[in-house]
Amino acid sequence: MAHGFRVWAPDRERVDLVLGERRLPMRRTEGGGWELTVQDAGPGTDYAYSLDGGPPRPDPRSPYQPRGPHAPSRLVDHASFAWSDDRWRGVPLPGAVLYELHVGTFSPAGTFEGAIEYLPHLVELGVDAIELMPVAEFSGRRGWGYDGVSLYAPHHAYGGPEGLKRLVDACHAHGLGVVMDVVYNHLGPSGNYLPEFGPYFTDRHSTNWGDAVNFDGPGSDEVRDFVVGNALMWLRDYHCDGLRLDAVHAIADDSAVHILDRLAEEVEQLAAHVRRPLFLIAESDLNDPRFVRPREAGGYGVHAAWADEWHHALHAALTGETDGYYEDFGSLDLLAKALRQAWVYDGTWSPHRGRVHGRSPAGLPGHRFVVCTQNHDQVGNRARGERSSALMGEGRLRVAAALLLTAPFVPMLFQGEEWGATTPFLYFTDHEDPELGQAVSEGRRREFAVFGWEPEQVPDPQEAATFEQSRLDWTEVDKESQARLLAWYRELIALRRRIPALTDGRIDRVEAGHDGAGLLSVERGPVLVAANLGA
Amino acid sequence: MAHGFRVWAPDRERVDLVLGERRLPMRRTEGGGWELTVQDAGPGTDYAYSLDGGPPRPDPRSPYQPRGPHAPSRLVDHASFAWSDDRWRGVPLPGAVLYELHVGTFSPAGTFEGAIEYLPHLVELGVDAIELMPVAEFSGRRGWGYDGVSLYAPHHAYGGPEGLKRLVDACHAHGLGVVMDVVYNHLGPSGNYLPEFGPYFTDRHSTNWGDAVNFDGPGSDEVRDFVVGNALMWLRDYHCDGLRLDAVHAIADDSAVHILDRLAEEVEQLAAHVRRPLFLIAESDLNDPRFVRPREAGGYGVHAAWADEWHHALHAALTGETDGYYEDFGSLDLLAKALRQAWVYDGTWSPHRGRVHGRSPAGLPGHRFVVCTQNHDQVGNRARGERSSALMGEGRLRVAAALLLTAPFVPMLFQGEEWGATTPFLYFTDHEDPELGQAVSEGRRREFAVFGWEPEQVPDPQEAATFEQSRLDWTEVDKESQARLLAWYRELIALRRRIPALTDGRIDRVEAGHDGAGLLSVERGPVLVAANLGA
C-alpha cells in the first residue's frame, strides 16, 4: 500500500506530511505544489500537513474529517464502494420536482443512513430528486451546512463518505436523484485553514462574509481547480445528479472565463463520460439571464437558477407580510407576474433595492427556474422559524401547493411541507469556540431586534434544543389534517405527471391574472388554476 | 366501445368512413377536417376513407397497416401495451455509442421480435442505443425503409405496433436506448395517398424525389402538425429515446419557424413531460452549424448531425478510392482535419461540388456530430454492397475502429461491422407494382453503368436473393478472425467508458496530424492514437 500525497502551498518554505508522530518533509514541485509518496499509507490513514513547522492542519482537499474540521484528515478510496446503481441513468432537470432536505433534521437519527428509511415516503409523494443542504464538514455537530470548511469531506456526524454513498445509492435504487448543495462563495468562520495554504481568498472583492474566494487574482488557477475538482467529485465519486451552487451573486470573478462557465463546461464533459444528465442550479438574486443561458448563446450554461421572487410574491400575497424584502411584493399583480415569468423585477424599479433591478427572462424556458413556496432560508431566516403552516390556513396552503405544482418552472418542496409539518425550522449552530458561539447567538438576537423581537423570544442558535425542535416529527404524517394536505400534494404531483401542459416550459404561453377582487387564475393549456384570495 | 374518427381533407366535397362494406358520411369541421364518432369501433377495427366517393384509402395517420400500405388501416390503443420500462430514464446522446440496424436483415427472423434475441450481443459489445432504419410501412415486405408511406404505422412485416413496442421495451430492459430513423423529406413511390387528402406536397420547392413536402405553403399548418405529431408519437407512444431525421437538406421551409426548430421545441416539452432526455439527430450534408446550435443561440436546436465527411475522409484514405464524392477526399491532411472537427469542408473549395462548401464548426461541442466508418448508405450504395471488411485488411479495419471509438464525436456502428461481417448490405426493394419494380431495377443498373459496371454484375434490388444475401450471418461471430475483431471493438468501447478524455467534446483540444510518411496520430488528452497508413 502506497499513497502519493500532494498539496498546494505556494508561499511556504517547508511543508511536512504529518502521520501520527512522524513529520516527513515534502518535495516542492512546480507551480507551488508539494508531494511525497509514502509506502505505508492508504485508505484509512490519518494525516495532516505542517506549514513552515507549524501545527498539523487538515488537507484542503481532505476526503474525510472523522474528528471534525480541526483534526487530521483521513484517506478514502472512492473506488472501493460497492455501488449498486450501474443501471442508473440520472434525472433530467426539466420536468423534475425537487425536495430540499437537511440531513440532521430530516430523520430521527439525523444521519445519511437515517434518511434512507424515509425514501419510500418520497417515492409515494412523487418527487424526482432530493436536494441535500450542504454536507461538507463544518464546525460542530449541528448546523445548516453553509459554514462548511472541509469542502471535500462529507460531515462525520452525518456518516462521512461511506454514509453519503449509501444514501445516494439508496436514492438511485428508489428512482430518486440527488442534488448536492455546495458553497463556493465563502467558507465557514471556524476551521478554515485554506488561507494558511495559499491565496484562496482575495481582497480584490468583498462579500457579506469578508474577503471573496479568489477566482481571478494571482494564484487563482489553483483555486479554480480546487472548486472545479470539488464539484466533479460530488458528481463522479458520490454519483450525485446535480449541484445547487449557493449564492452565486457572491462569487466575484472578472476572468474572461467566469468560474461558473468553466464549471458548466467541465460538468458537460463529465456528463458525457458518465452518460447521465448532470446539472447545475445557481442560487442567484440578480435576475440576470446570463447565468442560465447556454454557453453557446453567450451564457454561463448553468441549467437553472433559484427564483426567490416567485416565493416572495406568493408569500407576501398569502400572508400580507410586508417586512424587509417583502416590501417589494404583496399585490396580486406582482404575484401574477411571478406566475408567468418567475422573475418579478425584470428591469423595473425595486423599492427595497432603491434601484431598477433585473432583466427580462423572455426567451428562457421555464425549466431554468427553481421555485418554491418554502425553503430552508425563507423558513429558517424568520426569528421563530415558522413554516407556512403556522402562518396560514389549510386553504391557502393548498393554493400555494397548487400554484407551485402547476407552474412551468421546476418546483421544489422543503422537507415536511407536504404534510404541513408543525415543527419549525430554526437557525442552529454548534460552534465549539465559545466566543464565536456567543457572537452568533447575539448576532441572531440583534438581527431580529430591529423587527421588534425581544431577545428571549428568539431561540438561541447554539442551544441543542433549537436544533432538536427543528427535527421533523414523522408521527404527524398520519394525523388527519396533515394526511389530507399530503394527499393534496400527492395528487398535484401525479397531475403534473399526467398532463403534458403542466411541464411545458414555454412561459410565453402562461396566462395569469386576477379579477381585482382576489380571484387569481392561471391558464396552462387546457388547465385552469383558479384561487380565491379575497377576504 | 366508441371511436371518434378524424381526418383532414380540406378540398374534398365529401368524405366517407369505410368500415367493411359500410360507408358512413363524415361531418365537415373547421379548418378542412372531417369527423365521425362510431359506436361499434375501437382498437382492432379496420377502416379507410373514401374521398368524394372514390376507392377506400388508408388513413394518413394510420397506426397500423396489417395488409400493407394500400389496404385499410387498423385502430390501435397505444395505452393498452404493458410496458415494463417505467424505471427507464433514457440515454443522453453525449457519451453514447450508437448501433445502426435494419430490422429485416439484422436477425434470421427479420422482425422486431427476432431482434430481441441478439440484444445481449449488443450489451456485451457495449453500445448505448440502437438506431433502427425506418420502419414506417412501405410497399412490399423487403426494403431499407426510406420508401415509407404510412408514416405512423410500424411495418406489418416487422411485427407492427405491438412488435415494435416489445422490441423497445426489451431494449430498455437491457439498458439500451432506441433511436428511430424517420423520413420527413419525401414519401415512397408506392402507396402514398397523402396528395389525395390535401396539400401535403408543394411545387414551391423540389427535391431528388420530386415535389417537396409542404412545410411552408398554403395548408402547411396541418402538414407541420402531421410531422410533429409523428415525431412525438415515436417518442411518447413507442418510448423511443431519439429520432434520426433523414436528409434534412431536402426539407425546404421558408417559414419564420423552420420545421426542425418547431420539432426541437416540441420534443423539449415532451422530454420534460416524460422526464427522459429525448434527442434529434439530423442527416445533413450542408455543414451548417445552424442545425445543431441551441435554439437560444439562434439555431434549430437539433442535438446532433451526421457528419458523413468524417466517413469519406477516412474511407478514401484507407481504400484509396476516388470515385464520385470521394474525389474530395483521400489525403491524410483532410483525414486529420476530419478527426479534429468532423467537417472537412468548412468554407473551403470543394472540387466535387464546384463551389465553396460549409462553415466552421468552431464552438460546437463534439457531441453534436455523429460519425461512422460504415453505415447503410455508404455500404449499400456501392454496386455490390461491400462492407469495409471486403475492401481492406484486418489492420486497417482496426485502425478505422480505433479512430472512430476514440473520437470526440458520437460514434455509430453499422450492424455486423463489429465482427467484420462478410455479408454485403445491398440495396433491396419489393415493389408489387411490376412497372415500378422494373424501373427501380433498371435505375440501379444505370446508376452503376457510369462507373463501368456490367448490368449483370449489379444485384437486382427486386430479387428476394438480394435481400437474403444482406442478412447478417450470426454463425460468423465465433470464427477466429471475426471474434478477434469483435474483441477489439469491445475493448475500444470499454476504453471509451474508462477514460474521460475520450468522450470530452472540446474539439479545440484535439490534436491530429501525420508525418508525411503515412504515420497518423491523434491526441486526446493523455491518450495518443497512432496509426501507420504508409505502404
Side-chain angles (χ1 to χ4, degrees), chain A residues 87-92 94-97 126-128 171-177 262 265-266 268-269 271-277 292-294 296-297 363-365 367-368 496-501 503-506 509, chain B residues 87-92 94-97 126-128 171-177 262 265-266 268-269 271-277 292-294 296-297 363-365 367-368 496-501 503-506 509:
Chain A
R87 292 295 284 274
W88 177 250
R89 287 281 194 171
V91 180
V97 176
V127 300
D128 295 281
C171 282
H172 291 172
H174 282 84
L176 295 167
R262 164 96 194 278
E265 181 184 337
E266 298 285 350
E268 186 182 324
Q269 310 317 320
H273 175 55
V274 299
R275 292 173 292 151
R276 293 184 277 128
V292 293
R293 279 227 187 85
E296 288 168 73
L364 295 173
H367 315 123
R368 299 274 167 76
R496 190 170 179 84
R497 302 290 170 241
R498 233 175 17 248
I499 303 175
T503 45
D504 194 307
R506 289 173 285 201
R509 300 187 175 194
Chain B
R87 292 295 284 275
W88 177 249
R89 286 280 193 172
V91 179
V97 176
V127 300
D128 296 281
C171 282
H172 291 172
H174 282 85
L176 296 167
R262 164 97 194 277
E265 180 183 337
E266 298 283 351
E268 185 182 325
Q269 311 316 320
H273 174 55
V274 299
R275 293 173 292 152
R276 292 184 277 128
V292 292
R293 280 227 186 84
E296 287 169 71
L364 295 173
H367 314 124
R368 298 276 167 75
R496 191 170 178 83
R497 303 290 171 241
R498 238 180 5 253
I499 303 175
T503 44
D504 194 309
R506 289 173 286 200
R509 301 188 175 193

Side-chain angles (χ1 to χ4, degrees), chain A residues 224-382:
Chain A
R224 292 162 71 92
D225 284 351
F226 176 81
V227 161
V228 169
N230 184 265
L232 298 182
M233 176 196 72
W234 299 115
L235 300 169
R236 183 190 55 227
D237 300 329
Y238 287 95
H239 291 202
C240 289
D241 298 288
L243 300 176
R244 181 261 190 192
L245 308 165
D246 185 61
V248 299
H249 40 266
I251 288 178
D253 185 357
D254 296 334
S255 316
V257 182
H258 191 280
I259 184 68
L260 295 181
D261 191 340
R262 164 96 194 278
L263 208 50
E265 181 184 337
E266 298 285 350
V267 166
E268 186 182 324
Q269 310 317 320
L270 179 63
H273 175 55
V274 299
R275 292 173 292 151
R276 293 184 277 128
L278 300 176
F279 54 81
L280 296 174
I281 299 171
E283 182 199 17
S284 164
D285 65 3
L286 298 177
N287 292 13
D288 183 348
R290 192 191 331 142
F291 286 88
V292 293
R293 279 227 187 85
R295 293 175 52 247
E296 288 168 73
Y300 294 160
V302 168
H303 302 84
W306 277 28
D308 280 357
E309 291 187 350
W310 192 93
H311 165 274
H312 302 343
L314 179 71
H315 186 87
L318 291 180
T319 61
E321 292 182 4
T322 55
D323 278 352
Y325 48 70
Y326 292 131
E327 70 170 298
D328 273 2
F329 304 91
S331 79
L332 291 190
D333 281 342
L334 294 184
L335 173 54
K337 190 173 179 185
L339 296 172
R340 283 194 302 270
Q341 62 172 53
W343 290 344
V344 173
Y345 289 92
D346 56 353
T348 45
W349 166 257
S350 155
H352 183 66
R353 287 184 174 84
R355 60 169 174 83
V356 161
H357 185 66
R359 188 170 180 148
S360 168
L364 295 173
H367 315 123
R368 299 274 167 76
F369 305 93
V370 175
V371 297
C372 66
T373 70
Q374 305 175 56
N375 67 31
H376 74 274
D377 261 334
Q378 304 308 333
V379 173
N381 286 335
R382 305 177 70 88

Side-chain angles (χ1 to χ4, degrees), chain B residues 316-379:
Chain B
L318 291 180
T319 61
E321 292 183 5
T322 55
D323 278 352
Y325 48 71
Y326 291 131
E327 70 169 300
D328 273 3
F329 304 91
S331 79
L332 291 190
D333 280 341
L334 293 184
L335 174 55
K337 189 172 179 184
L339 296 172
R340 283 194 301 271
Q341 60 171 53
W343 291 344
V344 172
Y345 289 91
D346 57 352
T348 46
W349 167 257
S350 155
H352 184 67
R353 288 183 174 85
R355 61 168 173 83
V356 162
H357 186 65
R359 186 170 180 150
S360 168
L364 295 173
H367 314 124
R368 298 276 167 75
F369 305 93
V370 175
V371 297
C372 66
T373 70
Q374 305 176 56
N375 66 31
H376 74 274
D377 261 334
Q378 304 308 334
V379 174

Side-chain angles (χ1 to χ4, degrees), chain A residues 116-281:
Chain A
I116 293 175
E117 190 186 330
Y118 297 91
L119 297 180
H121 165 84
L122 300 181
V123 172
E124 275 176 64
L125 176 58
V127 300
D128 295 281
I130 59 171
E131 180 171 314
L132 297 178
M133 285 171 65
V135 305
E137 188 76 24
F138 52 81
S139 156
R141 292 146 302 165
R142 308 179 301 268
W144 280 15
Y146 300 94
D147 285 340
V149 286
S150 271
L151 300 194
Y152 282 67
H155 202 288
H156 72 286
Y158 291 162
E162 188 79 8
L164 177 57
K165 287 172 190 168
R166 275 206 290 271
L167 174 56
V168 176
D169 201 44
C171 282
H172 291 172
H174 282 84
L176 295 167
V178 178
V179 182
M180 180 62 76
D181 194 344
V182 290
V183 186
Y184 298 139
N185 56 77
H186 76 282
L187 268 79
S190 172
N192 175 12
Y193 299 104
L194 294 187
E196 299 184 15
F197 283 87
Y200 283 89
F201 296 85
T202 175
D203 58 8
R204 286 168 52 92
H205 310 282
S206 71
T207 74
N208 281 348
W209 300 275
D211 280 359
V213 175
N214 176 23
F215 288 115
D216 56 5
S220 59
D221 294 352
E222 194 64 35
V223 179
R224 292 162 71 92
D225 284 351
F226 176 81
V227 161
V228 169
N230 184 265
L232 298 182
M233 176 196 72
W234 299 115
L235 300 169
R236 183 190 55 227
D237 300 329
Y238 287 95
H239 291 202
C240 289
D241 298 288
L243 300 176
R244 181 261 190 192
L245 308 165
D246 185 61
V248 299
H249 40 266
I251 288 178
D253 185 357
D254 296 334
S255 316
V257 182
H258 191 280
I259 184 68
L260 295 181
D261 191 340
R262 164 96 194 278
L263 208 50
E265 181 184 337
E266 298 285 350
V267 166
E268 186 182 324
Q269 310 317 320
L270 179 63
H273 175 55
V274 299
R275 292 173 292 151
R276 293 184 277 128
L278 300 176
F279 54 81
L280 296 174
I281 299 171

Side-chain angles (χ1 to χ4, degrees), chain B residues 318 374 388-390 392-402 420 485 488-489:
Chain B
L318 291 180
Q374 305 176 56
S388 297
S389 55
M392 57 186 88
E394 192 178 328
R396 294 201 163 204
L397 291 178
R398 284 172 166 256
V399 166
L485 189 63
W488 178 241
Y489 269 87

